Amino acid sequence: MGEYKYMYQSLRDVSYVFDDLIDYMGSIIVEENDLGEVANVSQQHPDPVICVGRICCEAADARLNSKSVLLQGSVSSSKGGTTSLDVSEVANYALFPGQVVAVRGSNPTGKIINVSEIYYPKVESPMSLKPSADKGLRPKFI
């Protein structure tokens, strides 16, 4: 194995991975939903804008609830800023820490985004997949 230390990663490397994930998944969500320009999550926006980021938890017990939801933006779009989300106006939502989402909402104070809509990446149901004549649905082992 050489000089590589198993399970060792610097915090900088981990932050780069999270940042790349936010940018990659965010671009997919924006493209799939034709959302247009992405705004900085921690800047004031009195009018509704689109913000993209990773869901984080503010609570000390690490349980996500409607009062402890944070959105962490990427370095490229939001300088890594984090802002609280007010999801009280959203009828149905499902969030978990680490999930990348796009939100539409206003941020009049720069501290809380009043969310009106949440966008998720589109995922095809495995039941909608149809087997091809030559490959089927069998996993491919390398």
Side-chain angles (χ1 to χ4, degrees):
M1 245 186 172
E3 298 295 318
Y4 182 73
K5 295 179 181 177
Y6 179 69
M7 297 293 292
Y8 172 79
Q9 291 176 315
S10 70
L11 291 177
R12 180 174 293 168
D13 291 342
V14 173
S15 71
Y16 289 151
V17 170
F18 282 142
D19 195 55
D20 288 345
L21 177 68
I22 294 169
D23 285 337
Y24 175 70
M25 291 300 297
S27 67
I28 289 174
I29 296 169
V30 167
E31 184 178 314
E32 285 177 345
N33 296 289
D34 195 27
L35 299 177
E37 188 74 23
V38 175
N40 186 323
V41 299
S42 53
Q43 284 185 345
Q44 290 182 337
H45 300 286
D47 297 323
V49 293
I50 298 296
C51 295
V52 174
R54 184 173 71 101
I55 298 296
C56 299
C57 185
E58 185 178 34
D61 64 356
R63 290 186 174 243
L64 195 63
N65 59 51
S66 62
K67 302 292 182 201
S68 67
V69 182
L70 298 173
L71 187 69
Q72 176 189 5
S74 70
V75 172
S76 62
S77 68
S78 301
K79 299 178 184 154
T82 304
T83 304
S84 295
L85 295 181
D86 177 7
V87 292
S88 60
E89 304 229 354
V90 180
N92 295 318
Y93 61 90
L95 300 173
F96 58 87
Q99 181 181 21
V100 178
V101 297
V103 297
R104 180 184 307 276
S106 60
N107 189 356
T109 64
K111 298 188 186 299
I112 297 176
I113 299 174
N114 301 315
V115 179
S116 59
E117 198 167 356
I118 301 174
Y119 300 93
Y120 307 97
K122 295 183 176 157
V123 179
E124 262 193 63
S125 167
M127 300 305 290
S128 67
L129 296 175
K130 295 190 170 128
S132 63
D134 58 337
K135 296 180 185 173
L137 290 176
R138 296 182 183 193
K140 183 177 181 180
F141 297 101
I142 299 174

